Amino acid sequence: MTHPPISSAAPPGAGPGLPASAPPRRTAFAEGVERLRTAATTEPGRLRLIGAVLAALIVAFGAVTAWQMADRAAAADDVLHRSQPLSSGAADIYRSLADANTAASSGFLAGGQETAASRDTYEKDIRTAAAGLVNAAANSEPGSPAEAAISKLNKLLPEYKGLVERARVYNRQGYPVGGAYLRYANDKMQDEMLPAAKELYDKENTRLASDYSDATPYPWAAIVLGLLALAALAWAQLRHYRRTNRLLNHGLVAASAATVITLLWLVVGHTLARAGLDGSYDHGVRSLNVLHDARIASLNARGNENLSLVARGAETIKVGNENYDAYYYDFDKDMTALGKGLAQAARLADDTAGSKPVAAAQGNMQVWKDRHADAREDDENGDYEAALAKVIGPKNATAECFDSVDNNLKAALDQEEHEFQQRATDGRDAMTGLPIGAAMLGVAAASGALFGIGRRLSEYR
């Protein structure tokens, strides 16, 4: 039997004994694109694609709104309950240290007649500063500059107390070396402790400014997404009307209403919050900073006035070709700073409750300067006892003026603190519920859009 010859020719692309090669398989992405292109050629496919895009835009709008407003609300709460109280706490540490130094010099001048009130003031200031340092340490970040300043103050505070106690002991025993110890304690306070306290105060103010900058910017990403979602919903409803001649699609209308409500809530709520927070800074924090600086200047002035009598001309400073008593020279600088601070505080005060104590402090300062000039004249003429009586005496002394300045500044600080609390609370409360509300409205709007598209799809089944 004869068989036909077997051809040796192989199919193109196949080797001997191998099947023909299959066409290369497309990627999953390419296949997905092809399916979408095919679906988009039919009306049901186009509707499904429109529904998916609408739902994605609305959900993104709700999610970004919730995220951005949650961050801003948290920053506003930090301004109210964390950074501003810590800033004021750092200012209190500085004020307490300066006041303790003033009380120590006043007690030293009184010698054996140091009053219990003067001693209690010193002890209270030291306790206040120590407690403030504990609170600041608990809220400082490890390795931060604020932590370094706190550690330095915690180390220097007991050293300062030791020097003051030695000065008191020697002063009660009538030894002149007591004055040297007090001046050494004052140098430690002025050159090391107060600069560290000022650094801590500056760092806390930086943190406060950072929280304000996190709380007040407009949420542009959420606003843009909201406008895009509204534009897409408007286009979808217009398309629905043109193809069906039906005026409304209930699902799309509900989605549009929810999106409009969310967008209006976002814009109005954040605008009110921003106004409240800006007001708390302009009419609260700025005034508080100026008043804190003015109060510290008055404390430093009082301390230098006392120390000028303690030193009795032992400390001098050369300015140009002239020699001056170092403490009198510093007193004049402090009083200049106090005057500038009070003038600025008067300009910032926006109501009678804030301006009245500042005006009273300005009047007290002027009387203080006049009485100080008389006391300095007595001291420079060698009448130490007369000068001492005009500085710490029971009547018409500069001590009365300092106390009046300090009390009026405290009243002004309390008023500005109240105004800050009120405005910052209003700003924070304007964002209350907005993150959760935006998320819930976003889900509702997306559900409405899908429902509206679904009703349209049902007409093709």
Side-chain angles (χ1 to χ4, degrees), residues 342-353:
L342 290 175
Q344 188 175 0
R347 289 192 296 271
L348 292 173
D350 57 352
D351 55 23
T352 303

Side-chain angles (χ1 to χ4, degrees), residues 39-48 50 239 243 456-457 460:
T41 61
T42 65
E43 181 62 12
R46 285 192 286 269
L47 287 173
R48 291 188 182 94
I50 290 170
R239 182 181 186 277
R243 289 178 176 269
R456 183 81 177 87
L457 278 171
Y460 290 89

Side-chain angles (χ1 to χ4, degrees), residues 264-297:
L264 286 175
W265 190 5
L266 169 65
V267 173
V268 174
H270 188 268
T271 299
L272 292 174
R274 183 187 177 99
L277 290 169
D278 285 345
S280 73
Y281 184 84
D282 293 335
H283 303 290
V285 172
R286 288 180 64 198
S287 294
L288 286 170
N289 290 341
V290 170
L291 289 168
H292 280 308
D293 290 342
R295 198 177 187 194
I296 289 166

Side-chain angles (χ1 to χ4, degrees), residues 50-68 221-222 225-226 228-230 232-233 255 258-259 262 435 437-450:
I50 290 170
V53 171
L54 288 175
L57 269 176
I58 294 168
V59 169
F61 168 51
V64 172
T65 299
W67 163 56
Q68 289 195 308
L225 279 172
L228 286 175
L230 275 180
L233 285 165
T259 303
T262 305
M440 295 177 65
L441 285 170
V443 171
S447 300
L450 292 175

Side-chain angles (χ1 to χ4, degrees), residues 95-311:
R95 186 206 62 80
S96 297
L97 292 173
D99 194 40
N101 200 47
T102 299
S105 60
S106 296
F108 187 92
L109 285 176
Q113 286 76 44
E114 180 182 8
T115 63
S118 176
R119 178 75 182 190
D120 289 344
T121 298
Y122 169 80
E123 295 293 347
K124 181 182 177 181
D125 286 331
I126 293 296
R127 289 194 301 269
T128 300
L133 288 171
V134 170
N135 184 56
N139 288 279
S140 65
E141 297 179 0
S144 65
E147 185 188 47
I150 293 166
S151 298
K152 183 176 182 179
L153 286 169
N154 278 326
K155 174 179 176 293
L156 293 173
L157 188 58
E159 296 178 7
Y160 172 80
K161 287 177 61 181
L163 291 170
V164 170
E165 290 306 317
R166 288 187 183 183
R168 279 180 170 150
V169 169
Y170 287 124
N171 190 43
R172 283 195 297 267
Q173 294 175 352
Y175 295 139
V177 72
Y181 272 107
L182 187 66
R183 293 196 300 274
Y184 186 27
N186 177 72
D187 290 343
K188 185 175 288 292
M189 176 66 73
Q190 298 293 337
D191 297 339
E192 299 181 67
M193 298 176 70
L194 291 183
K198 182 66 165 57
E199 181 182 0
L200 176 62
Y201 178 52
D202 290 341
K203 297 303 178 185
E204 297 300 350
N205 274 342
T206 300
R207 187 192 306 199
L208 175 60
S210 175
D211 286 339
Y212 267 108
S213 68
D214 290 340
T216 54
Y218 274 108
W220 291 115
I223 292 172
V224 169
L225 279 172
L227 293 174
L228 286 175
L230 275 180
L233 285 165
W235 173 83
Q237 290 175 86
L238 180 62
R239 182 181 186 277
H240 172 77
Y241 170 73
R242 287 175 174 174
R243 289 178 176 269
T244 65
N245 207 31
R246 297 170 188 166
L247 186 61
L248 298 176
N249 178 297
H250 293 145
L252 293 178
V253 170
S256 299
T259 303
V260 168
I261 290 171
T262 305
L263 189 58
L264 286 175
W265 190 5
L266 169 65
V267 173
V268 174
H270 188 268
T271 299
L272 292 174
R274 183 187 177 99
L277 290 169
D278 285 345
S280 73
Y281 184 84
D282 293 335
H283 303 290
V285 172
R286 288 180 64 198
S287 294
L288 286 170
N289 290 341
V290 170
L291 289 168
H292 280 308
D293 290 342
R295 198 177 187 194
I296 289 166
S298 72
L299 287 165
N300 288 336
R302 180 59 180 172
N304 283 314
E305 184 178 49
N306 290 339
L307 285 165
S308 65
L309 297 179
V310 172

